[in-house]
Amino acid sequence: MAHETATVSEVRRERYARRLPTDLSALRGPGGGRVRLPLHLAWSGLTEYDLDRPRLRMSCYRTVLAEGGHDDLVRHLNRDLLVEMWPVLRTLVSKDLRVTWESAFRELTPASG
């Protein structure tokens, strides 16, 4: 009997998919100001971010998307900011993370054209 093994990419995508909110409207994080991420998210760099500064906001979102569980995503991400930043943010996250989020949420899928 053949044993089928999932690829690394499939494992990552499944891990990211388990963390997703059911809808982007569940992302109720702050829309600006300073935030402090817990160490289980920001274990290798900055822990405090000024969301009013675009580069720091992008860095914060990259960290939360890559390291956060479901509760972290809904607590620290803001739906409107995520949608606004996604065209650039999608180029800064891993392919597996990007594919998982874009497959789950039509609002994040680049317009074909």
Side-chain angles (χ1 to χ4, degrees):
M1 178 189 276
H3 184 307
E4 207 172 303
T5 304
T7 67
V8 171
S9 184
E10 291 168 336
V11 170
R12 282 187 194 134
R13 289 178 190 188
E14 176 58 33
R15 188 182 71 198
Y16 289 134
R18 285 193 307 263
R19 303 174 183 181
L20 293 175
T22 54
D23 189 81
L24 289 182
S25 64
L27 303 177
R28 307 247 176 172
R34 291 190 173 276
V35 298
R36 181 177 295 274
L37 297 181
L39 288 177
H40 73 273
L41 293 178
W43 51 268
S44 68
L46 286 175
T47 58
E48 188 171 311
Y49 297 85
D50 182 348
L51 298 182
D52 296 323
R53 297 182 59 196
R55 284 186 150 185
L56 289 176
R57 182 173 58 236
M58 195 73 66
S59 179
C60 178
Y61 273 56
R62 283 180 66 194
T63 299
V64 174
L65 286 165
E67 303 295 335
H70 175 271
D71 291 346
D72 298 310
L73 297 172
V74 299
R75 181 179 304 119
H76 297 291
L77 301 181
N78 176 283
R79 181 231 177 260
D80 294 339
L81 287 180
L82 179 67
V83 170
E84 176 186 318
M85 295 184 334
W86 191 254
V88 174
L89 189 57
R90 72 184 300 276
T91 68
L92 302 174
V93 299
S94 72
K95 179 180 180 182
D96 294 325
L97 193 148
R98 176 175 33 87
V99 167
T100 301
W101 279 77
E102 290 179 352
S103 296
F105 305 112
R106 173 169 277 195
E107 303 99 313
L108 301 179
T109 305
S112 57

